[in-house]
Amino acid sequence: MTRNNLGMNANVNLDLQEVNLSRLKQPSIHVLTQVQPHGVLLVLQEPELIVLQVSSNTAAFGLTPDEVLGKPLDDLLDSFQVDQLRAGLAYDNLDLLNPSKVWARRSGDEYQVFDAVFHRSADGFLILELEPALTHETIPFLSFYHLARASINQLEATSNLRDFCQIIVQEVRRVTGFDRVMLYKFDEDGHGEVVAEEKIPEMESYLGLHFPESDIPQPARKLFVSNWIRVIPDAHATPVDLYPAQNPITHQPVDLTLSILRSPYSCHLDYLHNMGVGASLTISLMKDQKLWGLIACHHRTPKQVPYELRKACEFLGRVIFAELSTREETADYSYRMKLAAVQTALVDWMSQEDNFIDGLVQHEPNLLDLVNATGAAICFGGHWTTIGRTPSEEELNYLVQWLAKTIDQEVFATDSLPLIYSDAERFKDVASGLLAIPISRRSYVLWFRPEVIQTVNWGGDPNHAYDLDQSGDTPRLCPRKSFELWKETVRLKSLPWKPVEVKATLELRKAIVNIVLRQAEELALLAQDLERSNAELKKFAYVASHDLQEPLNQVANYVQLLEMRYNTELDQDAKEFIGFAVEGVSLMQTLIDDVLLYSKVDLKGIEWELIEVETALQQALNNLRGRISETNAVITYDPMPTIVADGTQLMQLFQNLIGNAIKFQQQVPPQIHIGVQRQDDAWMFSVQDNGIGIDPQFADRIFVIFQRLHTRDEYPGSGMGLAICKKIVECHRGQIWVESQLGQGATFYFTIPVGGRDRHHGNGRKKNYFSDRG
């Protein structure tokens, strides 16, 4: 495989502390100071075209390197030609000048014909490279055209991409005459595969073999991106030095990134020798300004390739590869259209559903169809919705935590999740592949693909791509000597996600975010309407309670005045009727007070403060002192904590619950205990009694406003006490419930979330609150 390579596999057995491997793996290839000996390289200073550096093989001029340095180009080449070259150098695009046939003076009237190729280096110097002209004529444009036209005619006759690649290598080999021509495609993880090959029977076949990323390291890939064609006519030739090695102006090596004659790195030459290659030609294949692959040509013996033919191959590669790119895009087109239809359907379903998640999972097509996944999961609002085969909810929670800490992109895709998230090995058969999009900091949509065990054919053992040779003064890397088939079983990987699938998830993410934002706006408007309505209801309740109090007081006063003034004239029935009226007025006043209290309990009305629960509890017990004394109730409570809450509302909560425990008593004195227990994120309080108990079927109904389980004759009250309790607890972001059986007492529980400054008080002993028994 022809490549500028210098790599190092992770499994090479090296003494890492003795050798700087990173320097060996990533050398500065572009500033090597040696040149291939078949041509002459000159570094010129413009505009005088003075020679600053020259390769040591100056015999073509009949001069020594020292005699060449400092001379103007006119002294080395025909002066008339140099004048023409100066005119061409005035233009920025030197391709119009390349190649130029030039005659170099040797001695007397003796000349040698060269192909002259110019380029300007990154550090601002003019580089002239002279190669012996193999023909004295340039190839006309029509030859390029017919070359490309014949190839494209064959390409148009096939629709299979593999066959298409095969035609490319056949045509390049036909034009160049190399013993072997391969089309080498880079994979997403950096390694490459030979996807097409045309060769003579005597040479070993590499078709279908994979080659590790280290075979073509990053410095070499950067050169292939800048310099699209690279030729090594004789892999066994001894390179010549550039003289002087340092540029006399910059005192640095000159940049030879675009050089034709720059000598290959020694490790790459070893690589070619181990493959039995005597000459090579490499053509870069670019797609979207990235290195897609290479056309690699090998010959067993040295082989000169004229500049015009090299440019013809480059032209052929560009034209044909443009057609190949079009074919690839066409092959993806139908799949893109399918995904677009799925995406449109999902957006429509999401828009129609009250909950956008239902639109993704409850219709056909669904979330799985968007990326051809076997499982998907949606985390939204702290809840999971899954479809297909997915990890457990516990595993999903851990996975999302890892994503939140690790990923900061709009989309994350991997076909080997267990290799980067070790816990995923537990569910590799479900989710070796992961595609994820964040909706917010805690909300994600995840797609999964299972493990697919694959066999990969390598050109030699990729785990031992290089060895370290320390026999000389300077350590050097040596590539593997064997490229025989080496099979590897690849595990913990899924089928890869296609770019079009990743793009489809990004589009879906935009749609979900838009829908969530729209629903958030609708909820905000609804919240405003509810807030306005609640404010009006509170105002109405307040006004109504005050406006109703006055006429009720008048009714009670006049009825009682009637009883006092006409007491002697009223019979027993009349007096009883008046008593009923007074009781009704009293009940109505109690009901109005409870409605007013209920309306005042809301989240905005809470005055958050750090309070001692025992203080609120004692206030409630003091308010109930009379009833406690009347019923001989015995009340005990645990040591109480300090929490963040509204003290007044907490007192009302205890008063209502303890009051009910006293009210709904059996024939024995009430025994009431108030307990407390710390949970993970809340305090759980309990009020336990030995009263009449509650049928479990009514455990929810008792918290509904105006709901009663007994008549007022049995147990007086407005039916709002527990509704008020529920509203107080919910405004504190807690929960309230009851556990009871008829005749066995009841235990009411409620929770208050833990605040940042909560702490536990008390001496650890249970406290008693006895009624006055005197």
Side-chain angles (χ1 to χ4, degrees):
M1 182 60 57
T2 301
R3 53 179 68 83
N4 281 337
N5 63 317
L6 171 65
M8 188 62 209
N9 193 274
N11 294 329
V12 177
N13 296 321
L14 301 173
D15 187 347
L16 299 181
Q17 307 202 352
E18 293 182 6
V19 182
N20 186 350
L21 289 181
S22 61
R23 178 178 59 82
L24 295 175
K25 288 168 59 179
Q26 306 291 342
S28 300
I29 301 175
H30 64 291
V31 291
L32 294 179
T33 57
Q34 289 188 315
V35 174
Q36 296 185 75
H38 69 279
V40 181
L41 185 146
L42 300 97
V43 180
L44 305 174
Q45 184 179 23
E46 297 183 278
E48 296 86 359
L49 304 183
I50 301 296
V51 178
L52 299 176
Q53 293 173 274
V54 65
S55 57
S56 300
N57 55 340
T58 55
F61 303 120
L63 301 171
T64 65
D66 282 318
E67 292 173 331
V68 173
L69 291 179
K71 287 184 179 295
L73 194 60
D74 306 69
D75 291 353
L76 303 176
L77 305 179
D78 181 80
S79 58
F80 175 76
Q81 287 185 312
V82 173
D83 289 337
Q84 290 181 316
L85 293 176
R86 278 197 173 92
L89 292 172
Y91 298 97
D92 291 334
N93 187 2
L94 297 184
D95 287 340
L96 301 176
L97 192 61
N98 296 329
S100 296
K101 299 291 183 183
V102 298
W103 287 260
R105 297 195 186 101
R106 293 178 62 90
S107 61
D109 295 332
E110 186 179 351
Y111 287 85
Q112 181 172 352
V113 182
F114 288 98
D115 284 328
V117 178
F118 290 92
H119 76 269
R120 289 188 174 91
S121 66
D123 41 12
F125 296 99
L126 183 67
I127 310 295
L128 170 60
E129 299 183 270
L130 301 174
E131 295 183 83
L134 301 181
T135 62
H136 288 250
E137 297 180 357
T138 57
I139 299 179
F141 169 76
L142 282 179
S143 297
F144 282 95
Y145 173 78
H146 290 307
L147 179 66
R149 185 70 261 171
S151 301
I152 291 174
N153 286 340
Q154 292 190 59
L155 295 172
E156 289 175 346
T158 181
S159 59
N160 184 283
L161 287 178
R162 291 282 175 171
D163 293 343
F164 196 100
C165 294
Q166 189 62 34
I167 291 174
I168 292 177
V169 296
Q170 288 174 355
E171 288 301 298
V172 172
R173 181 165 180 260
R174 181 178 64 83
V175 170
T176 62
F178 273 84
D179 290 338
R180 174 172 55 211
V181 177
M182 297 172 290
L183 197 151
Y184 183 87
K185 179 182 178 181
F186 291 109
D187 205 342
E188 290 183 359
D189 64 2
H191 83 268
E193 178 188 2
V194 178
V195 297
E197 180 185 59
E198 181 69 13
K199 67 177 186 64
I200 61 174
E202 293 82 1
M203 293 196 76
E204 181 181 0
S205 175
Y206 295 135
L207 181 62
L209 296 187
H210 294 246
F211 291 80
E213 181 183 12
S214 58
D215 279 5
I216 307 180
Q218 286 304 318
R221 297 188 190 210
K222 290 180 180 178
L223 292 177
F224 280 130
V225 170
S226 302
N227 198 349
W228 288 21
I229 193 160
R230 178 80 170 122
V231 64
I232 302 175
D234 187 353
H236 294 276
T238 302
V240 296
D241 293 328
L242 191 62
Y243 181 79
Q246 305 288 321
N247 187 286
I249 295 178
T250 64
H251 304 292
Q252 299 289 333
V254 70
D255 189 321
L256 296 181
T257 296
L258 301 178
S259 171
I260 299 170
L261 295 176
R262 175 183 50 78
S263 179
Y265 194 69
S266 59
C267 189
H268 174 56
L269 292 175
D270 290 342
Y271 194 95
L272 295 179
H273 298 162
N274 293 346
M275 295 182 99
V277 174
S280 71
L281 173 68
T282 308
I283 303 168
S284 302
L285 298 177
M286 306 293 295
K287 184 177 182 181
D288 298 329
Q289 299 181 336
K290 294 181 180 179
L291 189 62
W292 181 92
L294 301 170
I295 297 175
C297 309
H298 289 173
H299 209 67
R300 291 174 297 173
T301 58
K303 181 177 179 61
Q304 297 285 341
V305 184
Y307 180 85
E308 292 93 339
L309 185 56
R310 300 199 301 263
K311 296 303 284 186
C313 291
E314 179 185 344
F315 174 76
L316 183 64
R318 291 196 187 194
V319 171
I320 294 178
F321 187 66
E323 182 69 17
L324 176 61
S325 298
T326 302
R327 292 291 181 92
E328 281 190 325
E329 293 173 1
T330 302
D332 287 340
Y333 179 77
S334 59
Y335 189 51
R336 288 203 309 271
M337 291 301 99
K338 174 188 174 183
L339 296 190
V342 173
Q343 180 182 324
T344 300
L346 291 177
V347 173
D348 288 343
W349 290 126
M350 286 192 297
S351 301
Q352 296 174 25
E353 295 285 354
D354 294 334
N355 182 353
F356 78 92
I357 296 176
D358 294 338
L360 294 174
V361 300
Q362 292 187 357
H363 302 277
E364 293 291 341
N366 58 41
L367 199 59
L368 300 178
D369 299 306
L370 184 65
V371 294
N372 193 26
T374 56
I378 304 169
C379 179
F380 191 78
H383 300 285
W384 282 101
T385 303
T386 61
I387 181 173
R389 299 181 63 209
T390 69
S392 67
E393 188 167 318
E394 181 182 7
E395 296 284 9
L396 290 173
N397 285 327
Y398 287 129
L399 177 59
V400 164
Q401 292 176 17
W402 176 80
L403 284 172
K405 294 177 182 178
T406 309
I407 309 304
D408 57 357
Q409 311 163 52
E410 289 187 342
V411 63
F412 171 75
T414 178
D415 60 359
S416 52
L417 181 62
L419 299 182
I420 55 177
Y421 175 61
S422 58
D423 289 352
E425 192 166 353
R426 292 196 295 265
F427 46 84
K428 62 183 180 179
D429 57 330
V430 173
S432 285
L434 170 66
L435 182 55
I437 54 173
I439 306 303
S440 65
R441 290 184 61 186
R442 299 182 180 179
S443 299
Y444 287 83
V445 180
L446 312 176
W447 290 269
F448 304 105
R449 282 179 179 171
E451 177 187 39
V452 176
I453 299 176
Q454 307 170 57
T455 298
V456 177
N457 296 327
W458 293 93
D461 184 354
N463 299 314
H464 298 88
Y466 290 91
D467 292 317
L468 183 65
D469 181 7
Q470 301 188 69
S471 59
D473 295 336
T474 303
R476 60 190 297 268
L477 290 178
C478 299
R480 61 193 181 278
K481 293 181 173 59
S482 173
F483 296 89
E484 292 183 358
L485 174 64
W486 192 90
K487 291 181 178 290
E488 178 189 22
T489 300
V490 179
R491 301 180 184 275
L492 304 178
K493 294 191 71 172
S494 71
L495 295 177
W497 305 100
K498 296 182 179 179
V500 66
E501 294 168 339
V502 175
K503 185 177 180 180
T505 63
L506 281 172
E507 294 299 322
L508 180 68
R509 179 182 182 272
K510 294 177 183 177
I512 292 176
V513 170
N514 289 336
I515 289 174
V516 170
L517 288 176
R518 188 192 69 197
Q519 292 179 346
E521 291 175 356
E522 293 174 353
L523 288 174
L525 292 174
L526 181 60
Q528 291 177 4
D529 292 341
L530 289 174
E531 186 176 351
R532 190 182 306 110
S533 177
N534 287 336
E536 292 173 353
L537 286 173
K538 286 173 62 178
K539 184 177 180 180
F540 169 77
Y542 183 80
V543 172
S545 63
H546 281 76
D547 290 350
L548 289 174
Q549 290 284 5
E550 184 176 352
L552 282 174
N553 289 334
Q554 288 181 352
V555 171
N557 291 337
Y558 281 110
V559 169
Q560 291 173 345
L561 182 60
L562 180 65
E563 183 182 20
M564 292 173 56
R565 182 168 296 183
Y566 301 101
N567 183 48
T568 57
E569 301 178 21
L570 298 175
D571 59 15
Q572 189 61 35
D573 287 343
K575 291 179 180 180
E576 188 175 346
F577 295 157
I578 289 175
F580 290 155
V582 173
E583 288 179 6
V585 170
S586 177
L587 177 61
M588 187 64 178
Q589 287 176 326
T590 301
L591 188 59
I592 291 173
D593 289 339
D594 287 345
V595 170
L596 182 59
L597 178 61
Y598 185 82
S599 68
K600 288 181 178 179
V601 178
D602 62 15
L603 189 59
K604 284 190 173 181
I606 290 182
E607 296 182 3
W608 299 99
E609 58 182 342
L610 193 65
I611 64 166
E612 295 185 2
V613 176
E614 185 173 352
T615 300
L617 178 57
Q618 284 291 348
Q619 289 175 353
L621 294 175
N622 288 336
N623 294 341
L624 295 169
R625 178 181 293 271
R627 294 170 60 185
I628 293 173
S629 178
E630 291 174 4
T631 58
N632 293 324
V634 177
I635 301 175
T636 60
Y637 57 88
D638 293 339
M640 292 290 146
T642 298
I643 66 174
V644 177
D646 185 305
T648 301
Q649 291 192 9
L650 190 61
M651 179 275 294
Q652 185 67 52
L653 176 60
F654 278 123
Q655 183 172 315
N656 286 6
L657 292 176
I658 297 171
N660 278 355
I662 294 172
K663 180 197 301 185
F664 297 101
Q665 60 179 295
Q666 301 195 76
Q667 300 302 319
V668 296
Q671 299 281 337
I672 303 169
H673 178 70
I674 299 94
V676 64
Q677 183 179 351
R678 175 67 181 265
Q679 296 182 321
D680 291 338
D681 55 358
W683 290 102
M684 184 177 72
F685 297 89
S686 61
V687 179
Q688 182 180 16
D689 64 51
N690 61 342
I692 63 174
I694 303 170
D695 190 329
Q697 65 176 315
F698 301 122
D700 294 326
R701 176 182 168 186
I702 59 175
F703 294 104
V704 179
I705 191 171
F706 298 130
Q707 292 295 316
R708 299 174 53 87
L709 302 182
H710 309 276
T711 65
R712 287 191 174 88
D713 293 335
E714 295 178 291
Y715 297 97
S718 63
M720 293 190 63
L722 289 178
I724 292 173
C725 292
K726 184 173 186 291
K727 195 171 183 184
I728 290 174
V729 171
E730 288 179 347
C731 285
H732 281 77
R733 305 302 189 200
Q735 294 178 305
I736 187 170
W737 67 98
V738 65
E739 295 179 1
S740 178
Q741 294 289 337
L742 280 175
Q744 299 180 21
T747 302
F748 283 83
Y749 296 93
F750 66 90
T751 60
I752 302 293
V754 172
R757 298 176 292 175
D758 291 358
R759 57 183 183 272
H760 202 278
H761 279 250
N763 57 14
R765 293 177 296 175
K766 190 176 293 184
K767 295 188 178 182
N768 296 325
Y769 187 97
F770 295 99
S771 61
D772 293 330
R773 295 172 183 260

